[in-house]
Every structure is written in C-alpha cells, then in structure tokens.
Amino acid sequence: MGVLVVSPTRVTVAEVARYAGVSSAVVSYVVNDGPRRVAPGTARRVREAIEVLGYRPNSSARALRTGRTGIVGLVLPGTSNPFFGEYADALHAAADRAGVGLLTAGSGGAAASEATAVERIARRDVDGLIVATSISPADISGVSYPRLPTVLVDCAFPVPGYSTVGPEASEGARELVEHLLLVHGHRSVAHVAGHGVDIEPDLRQLGWADAHRRHSRSPGPVTVTDYTRAGGRRGCLDLLGSGPPPSAIFVGSDLQADGVLRALAESGLRVPEDVAVVSFDGTDQSAYTSPPLTVVRQPILAMATAAVETVLDTTGPRHRAFAMDMITRRSCGCSGPPAG
Amino acid sequence: MGVLVVSPTRVTVAEVARYAGVSSAVVSYVVNDGPRRVAPGTARRVREAIEVLGYRPNSSARALRTGRTGIVGLVLPGTSNPFFGEYADALHAAADRAGVGLLTAGSGGAAASEATAVERIARRDVDGLIVATSISPADISGVSYPRLPTVLVDCAFPVPGYSTVGPEASEGARELVEHLLLVHGHRSVAHVAGHGVDIEPDLRQLGWADAHRRHSRSPGPVTVTDYTRAGGRRGCLDLLGSGPPPSAIFVGSDLQADGVLRALAESGLRVPEDVAVVSFDGTDQSAYTSPPLTVVRQPILAMATAAVETVLDTTGPRHRAFAMDMITRRSCGCSGPPAG
DNA sequence: CTGAAAGCGCTAACAA
DNA sequence: TTGTTAGCGCTTTCAG
C-alpha cells in the first residue's frame, strides 16, 4: 500500500547498548541505577550513548515487564469546586515529589458517574487510587478491582478496608461554632449543611451540635442542601423564610458560603452586623469574599502529601486525621487583617 | 452484583482463549471488535469466558504492541485558579467522551516548572499534549519530543507549529468595554491587566484600547499585575493611589476581579455606584461576588471539546477561536437577575 | 473464519 | 562486572 514512511524509529536499549559497546542489561542497570552495579567507566559510556542517541525508555514496555506503571489514579468530584481545585494542585505536587504521575477523572459528584470514573481509571492499570468519594464507601467497593490500593480523601472517618485521609472535621466545626458562642456571645448558631454520605454521620454537623451541647445551648435551625453555591443560597433563603433571621450561621463549605453571602445580601442583611457567618474549608477565595470569611482551614498540603504517601505504602489500611486551624476574619465580627 | 473472581494471578488472553476453546487471536478480535470478523457464536463464547474469568486487558501490553497509550497529557497552571478548574472539568468530560485518559500535571505557572511538567508528562508516552502555557510558546518547543501532537489552550492567537484553541479575546474585551462606554456612559475605562506571554500581544488589553479608539476616547490608566487575587487587589490599589478613582474598571480575569472588588471595598468605594467593574472569564463564581460581576464568558465547554478533538486529530496544526458572550449583572450598573 | 507465531521494548534471572 | 536470554500480555500477519 502506497506510502513508505521513513519515520526515524524510536531509539531502544539495544541501540544504546550497541553504541556503547555493552549489552542491553547494562544499559538497563545504568538507567535504573540497579539492580546490579556497573563499572564507573562503563556507566559513563552508556550515559553518553543515551545522550547522543536521545534515548528515552518506553514506559509501556517497562510497565509490562515490571507490573508497575508509576501512575496513580485520581477521582475527584470536579475541580470547578475550588476546594477540590486546591486539593488537586496539592496532590499533583505531592505526586511529583513521589515520582508518580496522576491519571485523573472527574466524577461530576453523581454516584453513577463516580463508579464509572473509578472503573475507567482502574482499567488503565494504575498502581493505586485516590478517591474523594461523595457517595457511600460501600458503593466504591462494588468496583471489583481486587487489591488496588485505594485511599479515600476528604474522608473524616475510618472506613473498613480502606485507607482514609481527612480533617478533624468535628473538632474544627466545634471550634468555629464555639468562637461564635463564646467570643461573640451568640445564643445559638444556625447551620447550612451539605448532603453527605448517607450511611455516615455528618461530622461537621456533629461538631456544631456538640458546641451547643457543651455550653448548654440549644442549636439553631439546620438546613441541608447541595454542596454548591446555589445550594448555599437556597439553604440560607429557606432559613430566612422560616422564622426570624438567625444571628449567626455556620456554613458547611466555602462554596455554599458564597451562596449564603449572596442570599444575605439579597435579603438586605449585613454581615457581620445583622448576621455573623463562618465557614468550613478555608480555600484561598474565602479571604476575598465580602466580608472576608472566618473559617476553619483544612490543611490541604499535609493531607495531600499523606494521601500520596499512603497510596504508595503497601502496609495495610490506616486512617489519618489532620487538625484544622481557625482563621478569624471579618464575617464573624472580628476585625480581620486585610488580605496580603 | 457479586461475580467473584478467584484468580490469584491476572487473567490473560491465553486463559480466556483456552476457556472458550479458541485461539488468543480470536479473543483479541472480539475484544477490539476487529480487525477480523468473528462468527457470532464464537464471539458469544468468548464474551462469556471474559465475563466468567473476569478478564481485563492489560493496557501496558496493548500500548507496547500498538504504540498508542490512549492517554493525553494535560498541563495547566493549576486548578486552584477556578477558571482552570472549570477548564479541567470540561477537558475531562471531553476526554471521557473521546475514550482517552488524561494524565495531568500542574505547572504552578512558573516557566521552569512548566517545562519540567511537560517533560515529566511526555516521558510517560502520552499520545498527545494539551497545554495551557503561561510562558512563551518558544519555550515549550524547547522540550524536544519530536512530533508529539500538542495543542495550546487558552491561547487566543495562532502559534506557528502548534494547534491552538482560545477565545476571541480581543472582541470580547472590546464588547465589554464598549458596554461601559456606550450603555453606561463612562468617558473612559481603566484596566487591570495580567502578565501575559511576553512576545505576544495582550489581546484583552488590545480590545480595551480598541473600544476607546473606535469611539474617540482616550483610554484610562492601565496597571499590569499577576493573574491572582492578590495581584488584582494590588493593581487596583495602585490605580487608586495614582490619581482620582476611575469611574469604571475592566479587569483581565475573574481571579483578579476578586482582588479588585476587595480593594474597592477596603477603600470605601461602592460598586457600581462609585466605580463600575467588569471582568474577563465568566467563571461560575463571578455570579456570586458582591455585587455579581458583569463579564464576558469564555465558552469553556466548546473550547475543551475542540482541544481534545484537535489533539487527537492527526491532520496538521490549526487555530480555533471561539466567540465569547457577555453576561450583564450588577457590577456594571445594570440590574442583573438574582443567581439561580 | 480461526490458529500459530512473531515480536513490541524492557528487566532480571542466570551464566560467564 | 558484564552478557545472554526468557518472557511480561498483547496485536496482527501469515497460513490454514
């Protein structure tokens, strides 16, 4: 058939070996710095040959041979959510440091889509999987890839059979609500919560309730909405429509807080004068809302590092929880510093 | 669900073939639906064997054999920036539709880091590369992976030797500024610009200048800052410090607009009463700032689809530009609708 | 329509 | 210290 393509074929170990006057095994030893030692002079010749010929190892061949791809799968609900956007960046940095690549998929947050996302990723022979599951952990195990090391991130509680990494959500939420109760003297705090994993407790809500209990207050109203801006707005509007405005609101995520702030502005309520607002996550953007949000921040960098470490670590499942830190800004009534 | 696989070692074509009483070639024909036809009955037996044994093709072996990995590399400045977060989501959706995986790397936006990110990705034998380059296109070509199909996204101008996908930035910026000039009657508009690719014109700034020229106005002051929230704040503060406040500001990106809004609030200036603000990008969040931002929106879905199509398309480089649409909200002085 | 068999490029025994 | 070589699992040409 017609056209003869004279494409410069790819350089292989064999050619490097021939050029350097050694065997292909030696080339491999040099490239991988093992498993056998190579005489310094020989090694130098090989490296020179590699340089001259422009040799690059074929990663498919290596993966086929070794059984390891050096790639970890990453399934997130989607980086449109700035929290997961920042998480993704941190995971990439950690993966780079660990020398592995990240094969990503967005789950779109819907359960069906998440299962298929995991499915698609696992199909490609990754060495492990990092999943921010928005669905029940039970569902993920439906994916029958035996023994693929999996770590669930943004997961504040242990899940049997899986490694998990998450914030100390309950403690963080409690600290934030106690700040409102004790420092700013609110009698109670309302809560705009997010739809979570059905079978598990919502730790943020637990912490919020706990803060009230500890100080013998009765909690304000709760409303459960989507983890979206629109959800936050809707939830806040519902709250406002069902009684006198609360004096303070604890929002379950920065994304929802955008919507809450919006709803409050639409309703002519000032923050923090009329209503104090605090939020959970502490993304970069929370310093730029108006007013800037008082938050508990998730230590994303540390959690991402832990996630990558854990997925690469073959010793059994473990749960790692990270302390959150509170950042006070204007939205709670404190006079925070201007953004840097 | 629950078919349980009891094979300790991985199932291969050979085993499927043996189970189905055919040769491995036939199994391959069935799995890949070609290149040779298989008798319906035989095919059914093979599919049954695959099901029963829980066979999954080894993608490394297939890649080694075919020379194609079915994976496209993606290098973005980082998904902490919500614009690129949304872009990443759209690219993932498009990649899924096209049946390819996305191997991602964050470049961190720094030139050195971007080159190494591209380097790391290319090393893994991807079929193509999608890059949102924040640096000079010249620099990317320094990466010497011969003939790796590459498409530059978020790139509003053609670059010789590369495929490019971007918005009609100049037209979009002009439309936005003209809205301020003609509808709201501002005499001139200031501009908070972003540091761009040095050797190329800043099309947003060009559009801004063009709007003034077309209507015989002299442009307001410009300040060039980082494409960050802090950069936007700084730039706006500089603007305010160097003369009387402008009556209107065109901001080069939503991220910077966050900072501009913040700076204005700090300075006690109301939007839009004292200063009108419009922005370029139209990310989801722009509907939730206070006040909501009037923007020109980048058609991210369409551009992402085009990017994936283009990188998979072997016919030569091409440039595709997409029209932006203006969304008027409160920040320009229009009374936009409340967020849905 | 199906089977046999030759590698793709690499790593890691095993030999020397 | 280095060379030889047997596959890893798959696709696809060539025979049947």
Side-chain angles (χ1 to χ4, degrees):
Chain A
M1 298 225 315
V3 186
L4 173 62
V5 181
V6 191
S7 67
T9 177
R10 186 165 178 158
V11 182
T12 71
V13 268
E15 300 175 51
V16 174
R18 199 154 54 79
Y19 186 97
V22 297
S23 78
S24 63
V26 173
V27 175
S28 175
Y29 299 152
V30 171
V31 168
N32 300 318
D33 200 27
R36 305 233 80 88
R37 295 197 66 81
V38 174
T42 315
R44 207 168 37 68
R45 279 206 332 279
V46 170
R47 265 186 270 274
E48 215 173 281
I50 288 174
E51 174 80 9
V52 170
L53 302 178
Y55 168 73
R56 293 190 311 118
N58 178 315
S59 52
S60 300
R62 171 182 287 167
L64 175 58
R65 183 58 229 239
T66 62
R68 311 191 68 257
T69 55
I71 294 180
V72 169
L74 174 62
V75 178
L76 295 178
T79 49
S80 303
N81 180 336
F83 172 69
F84 288 113
E86 291 182 21
Y87 219 127
D89 279 358
L91 286 166
H92 275 103
D96 279 353
R97 266 180 273 128
V100 298
L102 243 31
L103 188 66
T104 52
S107 66
S113 162
E114 169 156 348
T116 61
V118 170
E119 173 78 21
R120 259 192 304 256
I121 292 285
R123 232 182 241 308
R124 301 202 185 252
D125 296 320
V126 292
D127 293 342
L129 209 47
I130 296 177
V131 182
T133 179
S134 53
I135 58 169
S136 150
D139 285 350
I140 199 196
S141 61
V143 181
S144 62
Y145 292 110
R147 322 209 36 59
L148 182 60
T150 302
V151 13
L152 271 23
V153 294
D154 195 33
C155 186
F157 42 80
V159 175
Y162 290 93
S163 283
T164 42
V165 171
E168 292 179 345
S170 173
E171 292 79 356
R174 179 162 53 74
E175 182 181 3
L176 203 46
V177 175
E178 282 184 324
H179 178 78
L180 255 14
L181 259 22
L182 306 183
V183 176
H184 294 288
H186 293 276
R187 293 197 45 93
S188 82
V189 176
H191 181 28
V192 174
H195 290 121
V197 175
D198 290 337
I199 64 166
E200 291 291 343
D202 179 344
L203 262 24
R204 304 170 195 199
Q205 184 167 345
L206 230 49
W208 162 81
D210 196 33
H212 286 85
R213 186 176 328 107
R214 288 196 181 201
H215 304 284
S216 313
R217 318 289 180 87
S218 44
V222 197
T223 176
V224 182
T225 71
D226 287 343
Y227 272 117
T228 60
R229 295 188 181 94
R233 175 173 172 275
R234 187 71 269 148
C236 183
L237 255 20
D238 288 348
L239 231 42
L240 296 175
S242 65
S247 70
I249 304 177
F250 163 51
V251 190
S253 66
D254 286 352
L255 203 60
Q256 289 169 297
D258 269 352
V260 167
L261 255 18
R262 184 89 165 72
L264 259 12
E266 287 171 22
S267 309
L269 262 12
R270 292 163 308 164
V271 179
E273 294 82 353
D274 301 318
V275 184
V277 175
V278 297
S279 170
F280 189 103
D281 276 345
T283 51
D284 294 344
Q285 202 240 317
S286 66
Y288 284 85
T289 52
S290 101
L293 285 166
T294 289
V295 295
V296 278
R297 202 181 66 85
Q298 301 211 35
I300 288 181
L301 256 36
M303 294 188 304
T305 304
V308 172
E309 269 172 13
T310 305
V311 80
L312 261 19
D313 184 19
T314 47
T315 69
R318 58 187 294 203
H319 175 66
R320 297 178 65 179
F322 290 78
M324 307 186 70
D325 34 49
M326 185 165 73
I327 302 173
T328 55
R329 301 202 187 95
R330 296 234 330 276
S331 71
C332 64
C334 288
S335 60
Chain B
M1 60 170 10
V3 172
L4 202 31
V5 185
V6 200
S7 98
T9 173
R10 186 165 178 157
V11 182
T12 70
V13 268
E15 300 175 50
V16 174
R18 199 154 52 80
Y19 187 98
V22 298
S23 78
S24 62
V26 174
V27 175
S28 175
Y29 299 152
V30 171
V31 168
N32 300 317
D33 199 27
R36 307 233 82 85
R37 296 197 68 81
V38 174
T42 314
R44 209 169 35 69
R45 280 209 328 282
V46 170
R47 265 187 270 275
E48 213 173 284
I50 288 174
E51 175 79 10
V52 171
L53 302 178
Y55 168 72
R56 294 190 309 118
N58 179 315
S59 53
S60 300
R62 171 182 287 167
L64 174 59
R65 182 58 229 238
T66 62
R68 310 190 72 256
T69 55
I71 294 179
V72 169
L74 174 62
V75 178
L76 295 178
T79 48
S80 303
N81 180 335
F83 171 70
F84 287 112
E86 291 182 21
Y87 218 127
D89 279 359
L91 285 166
H92 276 104
D96 279 353
R97 264 179 275 128
V100 298
L102 242 31
L103 187 67
T104 52
S107 66
S113 162
E114 169 156 345
T116 61
V118 170
E119 172 78 21
R120 258 191 305 254
I121 293 285
R123 229 181 243 310
R124 300 199 186 256
D125 296 320
V126 292
D127 293 342
L129 210 47
I130 297 176
V131 183
T133 180
S134 54
I135 58 169
S136 150
D139 284 351
I140 200 195
S141 61
V143 181
S144 60
Y145 292 109
R147 324 207 36 59
L148 181 60
T150 301
V151 15
L152 271 21
V153 293
D154 195 33
C155 186
F157 41 81
V159 175
Y162 290 92
S163 282
T164 42
V165 172
E168 291 178 347
S170 172
E171 292 78 356
R174 178 162 53 74
E175 182 180 5
L176 203 46
V177 174
E178 282 182 324
H179 178 77
L180 255 14
L181 258 23
L182 306 182
V183 175
H184 294 287
H186 293 276
R187 295 196 44 92
S188 82
V189 176
H191 181 28
V192 174
H195 289 121
V197 175
D198 289 338
I199 63 166
E200 292 292 342
D202 178 345
L203 260 26
R204 303 171 196 198
Q205 184 167 345
L206 229 50
W208 162 80
D210 196 34
H212 286 86
R213 184 176 328 107
R214 289 194 180 202
H215 304 284
S216 312
R217 317 288 179 89
S218 42
V222 197
T223 176
V224 182
T225 72
D226 287 343
Y227 272 117
T228 61
R229 295 188 181 93
R233 176 172 172 276
R234 186 73 266 148
C236 183
L237 254 18
D238 288 349
L239 231 42
L240 296 175
S242 65
S247 71
I249 304 178
F250 163 50
V251 190
S253 66
D254 285 352
L255 203 60
Q256 290 169 296
D258 269 352
V260 167
L261 255 19
R262 184 89 165 71
L264 258 13
E266 287 171 24
S267 308
L269 262 13
R270 292 163 308 164
V271 178
E273 293 83 353
D274 301 317
V275 184
V277 175
V278 298
S279 170
F280 189 103
D281 275 345
T283 52
D284 294 344
Q285 203 241 316
S286 66
Y288 285 85
T289 52
S290 112
L293 284 165
T294 290
V295 295
V296 278
R297 203 181 65 83
Q298 301 211 34
I300 288 182
L301 256 37
M303 293 189 303
T305 303
V308 171
E309 268 173 13
T310 305
V311 78
L312 261 21
D313 183 20
T314 47
T315 69
R318 58 188 294 203
H319 175 66
R320 298 179 64 178
F322 290 78
M324 307 185 70
D325 35 47
M326 185 165 73
I327 302 173
T328 55
R329 301 201 187 95
R330 296 235 329 278
S331 71
C332 65
C334 288
S335 59

